[in-house]
Amino acid sequence: MSSKFTSELTEGMVTLTDTFSTTGKLILQKNTVITKSIINMLVNNDVIFVDVAEDDDAISLSDTNENSIFNAEINLESITNTPDYKMFKRRYEKQITNISEHINDIVNRNAPVDADVLLSCTTNILKSTQSPLSIFTMLSTLKDYDDSTFNHSLNVSLICNIFARWLGLSNSEIELLTLCGLLHDVGKLLIPNEIIKKPGKLTDQEFKIIKTHTQKGYELLKKRKADLHVQYAALMHHEKCDGSGYPLGMVDNQIDWVAQIITIADIYEAMTSNRVYRGALSPFSVINMFEEDGLRKYNPKFLLTFLEHVVNSYLNCKVKLSNGIEGDIVYINKVSLSKPLIKTNNEYIDLSKKSDIKILSILE
């Protein structure tokens, strides 16, 4: 490693450490290839020294950060052709069948909730990849499934499994959240299918019927003697900490802690997935929605942990902005998670200072 004056930098050099401005702001990630525009940016920020790799430094730009889902531009074809993805999809398709059969038996045949059977289904899927975080990437590529309660519930369950790990929960708590994710929407199987899959806007009466799925799911799981947290997840996953949710208008600690976590995963999955009435939203659009009023409606401890990990997982990902420009996410603004710093071919765009520009999509 060598410390170089900014004036000594040349294109092609690689940074070995994070580089900070004189105000302490991270402006350049380690393992970044130096370009002319980066040199100009460093000069403009009064950066004097930068640590760069010597010829004999063992550094590989293909090395991945285990805490990051996207460390380079996402290429759909390259993902779907990997052994990990093929195994993931094969196991996903097999286990969604097993899950739907077991849950249908619970609903229609008075079968008990067999937690071991359901958890083994998700465990088999998670075993298909070495990195749990890559589940987010793989779920985003599954475009061939309709908006079914089973697919949504499985996706929420997988997200909850990762979310629980981010929260540092115990193995038993991770399993509990995974199970709650699978069964939180079981009440929707008791709602007429023509309402559940209606492509247009619901009428007021139809929405009232939809909202009964929380109570129906709770009552069903209570009859099947499911774990109390599983019952509460079904009943309370639409409750909000400010009392604006349903069915009971609970506030704060009145809402079971497991249900508070399920709610965040449920909303994120629903908003970032294709629906019969709309396309998937950009993760950063959903994160922005959470930032605008989420701290009132959701437990801040859970929400901030989730958002920070999700946003950091997109670091170095290529995105398309609402002004048509493409670039890479190179810095996350901690006080405005949905508005990172974007590096384009010609400049750096700080979205926290550009209210008229948003991330339109994650490029695949």
Side-chain angles (χ1 to χ4, degrees):
M1 183 176 75
S2 175
S3 292
K4 297 284 189 182
F5 286 104
T6 305
S7 60
E8 296 177 319
L9 296 176
T10 59
E11 293 182 270
M13 288 182 173
V14 179
T15 60
L16 273 183
T17 60
D18 291 337
T19 302
F20 297 84
S21 70
T22 54
T23 61
K25 179 179 179 181
L26 177 65
I27 59 174
L28 198 62
Q29 296 280 332
K30 66 179 180 179
N31 293 359
T32 298
V33 179
I34 297 294
T35 64
K36 186 175 181 180
S37 62
I38 287 178
I39 294 173
N40 291 334
M41 182 269 293
L42 292 170
V43 171
N44 292 335
N45 280 275
D46 297 322
V47 175
I48 300 175
F49 295 101
V50 177
D51 293 327
V52 296
E54 296 281 13
D55 291 342
D56 58 349
D57 279 318
I59 184 170
S60 171
L61 294 179
S62 64
D63 288 345
T64 56
N65 180 336
E66 65 180 0
N67 292 320
S68 178
I69 302 174
F70 303 96
N71 284 300
E73 179 179 355
I74 295 176
N75 183 288
L76 183 60
E77 184 176 354
S78 68
I79 292 173
T80 56
N81 285 332
T82 63
D84 263 11
Y85 177 81
K86 292 177 180 178
M87 183 180 293
F88 171 82
K89 185 176 181 181
R90 183 166 61 250
R91 291 187 176 184
Y92 185 100
E93 291 172 342
K94 178 181 179 180
Q95 299 308 328
I96 194 67
T97 299
N98 293 336
I99 288 169
S100 61
E101 288 177 353
H102 185 65
I103 294 179
N104 272 322
D105 285 345
I106 293 172
V107 175
N108 300 313
R109 295 182 177 86
N110 298 322
V113 175
D114 192 327
D116 291 337
V117 169
L118 290 171
L119 288 172
S120 69
C121 293
T122 56
T123 299
N124 284 333
I125 296 173
L126 290 166
K127 283 181 178 177
S128 65
T129 175
Q130 295 180 353
S131 170
L133 286 175
S134 65
I135 292 293
F136 277 80
T137 307
M138 294 181 182
L139 287 177
S140 71
T141 66
L142 294 174
K143 307 297 185 183
D144 300 329
Y145 302 103
D146 63 9
D147 175 24
S148 77
T149 297
F150 298 119
N151 293 118
H152 168 67
S153 296
L154 175 55
N155 294 352
V156 170
S157 178
L158 294 172
I159 291 172
C160 281
N161 186 283
I162 298 168
F163 191 176
R165 297 175 193 275
W166 288 341
L167 291 167
L169 300 182
S170 67
N171 288 335
S172 61
E173 290 169 330
I174 292 171
E175 289 185 349
L176 174 62
L177 277 165
T178 304
L179 181 62
C180 288
L182 283 172
L183 295 172
H184 77 284
D185 257 351
V186 67
K188 284 189 176 179
L189 299 177
L190 301 171
I191 303 296
N193 209 38
E194 59 269 22
I195 296 179
I196 292 292
K197 291 190 174 183
K198 183 177 179 179
K201 183 180 179 181
L202 296 174
T203 66
D204 290 344
Q205 182 57 34
E206 288 169 335
F207 186 54
K208 286 181 181 179
I209 294 174
I210 283 280
K211 289 168 70 174
T212 65
H213 80 277
T214 55
Q215 189 71 39
K216 290 179 182 293
Y218 167 72
E219 292 170 354
L220 174 70
L221 293 170
K222 185 177 181 180
K223 289 179 181 177
R224 303 295 183 267
K225 302 185 186 309
D227 182 279
L228 191 60
H229 290 293
V230 176
Q231 297 177 36
Y232 286 161
L235 178 66
M236 303 178 189
H237 68 275
H238 283 288
E239 298 287 358
K240 304 293 189 295
C241 289
D242 64 354
S244 63
Y246 67 87
L248 303 174
M250 293 179 169
V251 297
D252 298 324
N253 291 334
Q254 291 178 334
I255 308 168
D256 185 66
W257 69 271
V258 169
Q260 293 180 21
I261 294 173
I262 294 293
T263 299
I264 295 169
D266 177 45
I267 293 173
Y268 182 83
E269 199 288 327
M271 299 299 285
T272 56
S273 298
N274 288 312
R275 288 292 180 262
V276 292
Y277 48 85
R278 60 154 173 81
L281 298 180
S282 159
F284 283 87
S285 295
V286 179
I287 291 164
N288 184 56
M289 293 167 62
F290 272 123
E291 284 184 314
E292 288 183 349
D293 65 353
L295 295 180
R296 293 187 300 105
K297 293 184 176 181
Y298 313 102
N299 186 314
K301 179 180 71 173
F302 297 148
L303 181 63
L304 291 176
T305 297
F306 182 77
L307 295 184
E308 287 180 5
H309 279 82
V310 170
V311 170
N312 284 328
S313 71
Y314 286 98
L315 190 63
N316 297 326
C317 182
K318 186 173 288 294
V319 297
K320 183 175 183 179
L321 304 178
S322 56
N323 61 1
I325 294 177
E326 296 179 5
D328 300 311
I329 298 173
V330 295
Y331 174 73
I332 303 299
N333 288 305
K334 293 293 185 181
V335 296
S336 187
L337 294 171
S338 63
K339 303 178 187 301
L341 182 68
I342 308 297
K343 179 174 75 67
T344 70
N345 289 334
N346 303 313
E347 62 179 329
Y348 284 80
I349 302 175
D350 187 347
L351 296 184
S352 67
K353 299 177 181 178
K354 301 283 187 180
S355 59
D356 58 327
I357 304 176
K358 295 178 175 57
I359 294 176
L360 190 63
S361 60
I362 309 296
L363 295 181
E364 298 180 334

